[in-house]
Amino acid sequence: MTTGDDPRPPRRITPFHAPHYADAGSGFPLTDAGIIALVQDALDEDAALCDVTTIATVRPGLKARAMLVARESGVIAGVPMALAAFRLLDPDVAIRVDAEDGSSVSKGAEVLFISGRARGLLSAERTALNFMQRLSGVASLTRQFVNAVRGTGAQIVDTRKTSPGRRALEKYAVRCGGGANHRFDLAEAVLIKDNHLAALDGSIGEAVRRVREHADPGTAVQVECDSAAQVRSAVEAGVDSVLLDNMSLDALSECVAICRGKCITEASGGVTLDTVAAIAATGVHRISVGALTHSAPALDLALDFE
């Protein structure tokens, strides 16, 4: 910890500014008020204002400088959340952003440089890292899948298998990694699955007819299929897309041929980094990967104090 000057003066920025990140392909999903509320809840959960250790060991006026660094290579996401955490505990903190959301970083890369009150930096550290490690982990895993199918024309998409209350952030992180978002919620699009069909004795045609009657005009309709016969029924019913669930590569190729020029095809189920390239090679338009949000390992980031 120090009161000295960095040779590169930190750029003063507000943590509540959520800029459009060109590399992410879409803007940050939360409003200023949304960022503040979510981060404040996280700080309260951590009792950041009652940090017994820091209060006991660090005098109030001590200044500090710290660098948030990547301990492994990956893709950064969640910078606005980290900025808010530090600023809420020290309104006068100065922060320089060296790697914005959507940026690829190598091991040892500097992500943020922070200068401010030592107490604020120490008490906000875990909350800032929790947001950034989780979201950067999602972005990094997504980028690996995107890279694995590069050149095939297949698009990597996410699912609704997200952390409760964090869906907007996690789907944003998928975009930071170069992936695309499937439907955000149950109201955005129709996905007729096997359990829905069970209520109608397996009739895809009847299921599609009913949702067309009840859904708003223009609502996309997708049907989950596990056989070529079901795919043919879905195509005949005029669906917008079919979800090809846990099919072999041969079956996927057959179903892609059935749907060609008629509807979008999406492969799903058991997709891994080892299998995704072969799946993409069958010609499917999209590949949905639940692991992007439900199993992404946190990216190893750390806050190093000088």
Side-chain angles (χ1 to χ4, degrees):
M1 296 179 184
T2 178
T3 57
D5 294 328
D6 189 299
R8 302 166 298 175
R11 175 165 56 92
R12 292 292 297 275
I13 65 176
T14 168
F16 310 134
H17 175 54
H20 176 89
Y21 291 106
D23 289 340
S26 181
F28 197 76
L30 302 183
T31 63
D32 292 356
I35 295 172
I36 296 170
L38 191 56
V39 174
Q40 187 65 66
D41 281 348
L43 290 169
D44 290 344
E45 178 183 55
D46 206 29
L49 294 179
C50 305
D51 181 355
V52 178
T53 308
T54 296
I55 292 171
T57 60
V58 180
R59 70 176 186 271
L62 183 66
K63 296 294 182 66
R65 300 186 304 180
M67 182 68 70
L68 195 153
V69 299
R71 293 286 173 79
E72 61 179 327
S73 61
V75 178
I76 295 301
V79 167
M81 309 304 288
L83 302 184
F86 291 117
R87 186 64 179 272
L88 280 169
L89 292 190
D90 179 6
D92 296 321
V93 69
I95 305 176
R96 186 186 66 241
V97 179
D98 292 330
E100 294 187 336
D101 283 6
S103 300
S104 295
V105 294
S106 56
K107 181 178 180 180
E110 300 174 351
V111 180
L112 302 175
F113 175 81
I114 311 157
S115 177
R117 296 184 180 91
R119 283 188 171 186
L121 269 59
L122 287 165
S123 297
E125 175 182 357
R126 177 41 52 197
T127 294
L129 286 174
N130 281 350
F131 278 113
M132 285 204 62
Q133 288 179 315
R134 168 62 180 156
L135 296 177
S136 297
V138 171
S140 299
L141 182 60
T142 301
R143 183 68 59 83
Q144 291 180 55
F145 274 93
V146 170
N147 287 340
V149 302
R150 194 172 302 281
T152 66
Q155 184 179 53
I156 299 296
V157 300
D158 56 21
T159 70
R160 288 171 32 251
K161 297 174 182 177
T162 54
S163 303
R166 299 291 187 269
R167 180 169 294 171
L169 284 174
E170 291 177 0
K171 282 182 170 284
Y172 162 75
V174 167
R175 299 196 302 274
C176 286
N181 297 147
H182 205 285
R183 60 176 180 166
F184 186 85
D185 54 35
L186 293 171
E188 184 175 300
V190 170
L191 174 51
I192 303 169
K193 306 189 77 173
D194 54 355
N195 288 334
H196 299 110
L197 294 175
L200 295 172
D201 296 325
S203 175
I204 290 177
E206 178 64 12
V208 173
R209 185 189 66 79
R210 291 193 179 199
V211 298
R212 293 289 190 198
E213 289 180 353
H214 288 83
D216 292 335
T219 300
V221 176
Q222 183 178 48
V223 175
E224 181 184 73
C225 301
D226 58 19
S227 69
Q230 284 190 323
V231 170
R232 291 189 182 91
S233 295
V235 170
E236 290 173 3
V239 299
D240 298 290
S241 64
V242 291
L243 183 67
L244 308 174
D245 186 45
N246 283 294
M247 289 187 177
S248 67
L249 295 178
D250 288 342
L252 285 173
S253 296
E254 179 184 1
C255 291
V256 166
I258 294 170
C259 297
R260 186 168 292 117
K262 300 171 183 175
C263 68
I264 294 171
T265 54
E266 177 181 334
S268 180
V271 181
T272 69
L273 284 169
D274 291 331
T275 63
V276 69
I279 292 172
T282 65
V284 293
H285 296 97
R286 302 186 305 208
I287 303 173
S288 53
V289 186
L292 299 182
T293 51
H294 73 57
S295 296
L299 187 68
D300 191 359
L301 303 171
L303 191 67
D304 293 338
F305 284 75
E306 295 183 352

